[in-house]
């Protein structure tokens, strides 16, 4: 711990503030900065959608008082951002409101807003699972195994699920 007049802060190995009792917003910002430096995968619940004019919408959620944004291009969806209309993108992200997603922090701007990437988190998750082998040199995930899936989107005819960084649609009649 480092002491300064009137407050106590705790630093991580990179020198980032990990905990500061006086200002919770600074604490949350320092935790997110430490996660970026360590390339840690975090989980959050999608709170809102934000749009600016003609740009594709972005997903927004808050970590305490800190605003975190994930641009549509960093969502990791199998859609071409160049060919996706703003309306289509908004409908897809709108259906994800309330869903839990994984993300990685990519950067912090001057107003203490965080830019994040869901795509990066999915790629790390895929590499970790695909390259992980058990004690008997077999892969940990094999065909026919039961795995836990996270529901990302529910549509009229299908449910979009994520399993270890991979997403797919499952027809509702198959559930």
């Amino acid at each position: 711990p480092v002491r300064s007049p009137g407050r106590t802060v705790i630093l991580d190995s990179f020198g980032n503030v990990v905990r500061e009792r006086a200002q919770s917003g600074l604490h949350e910002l320092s935790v997110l900065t430490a996660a970026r430096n360590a390339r840690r995968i975090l989980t959050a619940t999608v709170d809102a959608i934000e749009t600016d004019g003609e740009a594709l919408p972005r997903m927004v959620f808050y970590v305490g008082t800190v605003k975190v944004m994930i641009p549509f291009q960093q969502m990791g969806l199998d859609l071409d951002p160049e060919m996706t209309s703003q309306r289509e993108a908004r409908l897809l992200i709108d259906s994800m409101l309330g869903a839990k997603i994984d993300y990685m922090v990519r950067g912090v701007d001057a107003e203490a807003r965080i830019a994040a990437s869901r795509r990066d988190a999915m790629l790390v998750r895929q590499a970790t699972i695909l390259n992980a082998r058990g004690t008997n040199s077999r892969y940990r995930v094999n065909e026919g195994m039961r795995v836990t899936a996270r529901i990302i989107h529910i549509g009229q005819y299908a449910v979009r699920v994520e399993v270890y960084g991979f997403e797919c649609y499952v027809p509702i009649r198959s559930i």
Side-chain angles (χ1 to χ4, degrees), residues 3-62:
R3 289 200 168 266
S4 60
R7 63 185 189 172
T8 301
V9 295
I10 297 174
L11 304 177
D12 67 5
S13 60
F14 295 102
N16 297 308
V17 176
V18 173
R19 187 171 68 224
E20 182 168 344
R21 292 187 180 100
Q23 299 174 342
S24 64
L26 183 57
H27 165 68
E28 291 138 356
L29 187 61
S30 64
V31 168
L32 290 167
T33 302
R36 180 195 66 202
N37 292 341
R39 298 202 35 84
R40 248 190 337 254
I41 296 174
L42 304 171
T43 302
T45 302
V46 179
D47 292 328
I49 300 170
E50 191 175 88
T51 56
D52 289 335
E54 297 298 315
L56 290 175
R58 56 189 166 265
M59 197 171 277
V60 176
F61 54 90
Y62 290 87

Side-chain angles (χ1 to χ4, degrees), residues 7-175:
R7 63 185 189 172
T8 301
V9 295
I10 297 174
L11 304 177
D12 67 5
S13 60
F14 295 102
N16 297 308
V17 176
V18 173
R19 187 171 68 224
E20 182 168 344
R21 292 187 180 100
Q23 299 174 342
S24 64
L26 183 57
H27 165 68
E28 291 138 356
L29 187 61
S30 64
V31 168
L32 290 167
T33 302
R36 180 195 66 202
N37 292 341
R39 298 202 35 84
R40 248 190 337 254
I41 296 174
L42 304 171
T43 302
T45 302
V46 179
D47 292 328
I49 300 170
E50 191 175 88
T51 56
D52 289 335
E54 297 298 315
L56 290 175
R58 56 189 166 265
M59 197 171 277
V60 176
F61 54 90
Y62 290 87
V63 177
T65 59
V66 178
K67 182 179 186 178
V68 180
M69 297 178 288
I70 302 178
F72 185 79
Q73 295 83 349
Q74 293 297 321
M75 285 298 300
L77 302 171
D78 55 355
L79 301 171
D80 182 4
E82 306 270 327
M83 302 300 289
T84 305
S85 72
Q86 187 177 22
R87 182 179 181 280
E88 291 170 325
R90 184 168 175 82
L91 286 172
L92 182 60
I93 294 176
D94 189 43
S95 69
M96 294 174 70
L97 287 173
K100 286 200 177 293
I101 61 164
D102 292 334
Y103 69 99
M104 293 178 74
V105 177
R106 294 192 76 168
V108 180
D109 73 2
E111 289 98 32
R113 290 180 302 188
I114 305 295
S117 173
R118 180 171 176 255
R119 182 177 52 95
D120 290 354
M122 291 172 69
L123 292 173
V124 168
R125 193 78 75 213
Q126 289 170 11
T128 303
I129 295 300
L130 289 180
N131 295 330
R133 292 180 184 254
T135 55
N136 57 4
S137 296
R138 292 181 46 188
Y139 287 108
R140 290 186 183 167
V141 179
N142 295 299
E143 185 177 341
M145 291 178 70
R146 288 187 182 191
V147 295
T148 302
R150 182 182 293 165
I151 296 174
I152 301 298
H153 161 78
I154 298 175
Q156 186 173 0
Y157 302 106
V159 175
R160 188 178 191 100
V161 297
E162 179 201 342
V163 179
Y164 304 125
F166 291 96
E167 281 193 11
C168 67
Y169 278 105
V170 178
I172 289 181
R173 68 181 182 279
S174 298
I175 296 176

